[in-house]
Amino acid sequence: MSVEMSRLFDLGLMVLLVLCALAVVRTKDLLAAAIIFSAYSLVMCLVWDHRGAPDVAMTEAAVGAGVTTVLFLSAVSKTVRREK
């Protein structure tokens, strides 16, 4: 992969991270926020892997996108789905 393509890929991932973060903050649906946060974690996993840290990427995927999402979905199921 050329340096220019690598930078474009990094830029694309950073844009996706910012969009996911803004979407999580702005959404009123708690279930949607949990799913978007999971997408944020998966994009962050790609960032870590692309930057050369596969061990951190796997941890982010397991904890950030896996366990945290399950805990958030469990918490949302015990509350009202929409924020007031």
Side-chain angles (χ1 to χ4, degrees):
M1 185 183 272
S2 71
V3 174
E4 187 64 29
M5 284 297 290
S6 180
R7 286 185 181 160
L8 284 174
F9 188 69
D10 280 341
L11 182 63
L13 289 176
M14 294 306 147
V15 168
L16 279 173
L17 284 175
V18 170
L19 289 175
C20 284
L22 291 174
V24 166
V25 171
R26 296 189 51 91
T27 187
K28 298 288 185 187
D29 186 1
L30 298 178
L31 180 62
I35 292 169
I36 295 168
F37 185 74
S38 175
Y40 177 90
S41 293
L42 289 174
V43 173
M44 198 64 214
C45 173
L46 290 174
V47 169
W48 288 122
D49 190 51
H50 187 254
R51 301 311 307 161
D55 53 337
V56 179
M58 292 305 291
T59 303
E60 178 70 30
V63 175
V67 175
T68 304
T69 301
V70 170
L71 291 174
F72 280 162
L73 293 177
S74 158
V76 168
S77 73
K78 299 196 182 314
T79 63
V80 180
R81 181 174 168 179
R82 302 246 342 142
E83 184 181 3
K84 294 179 182 179

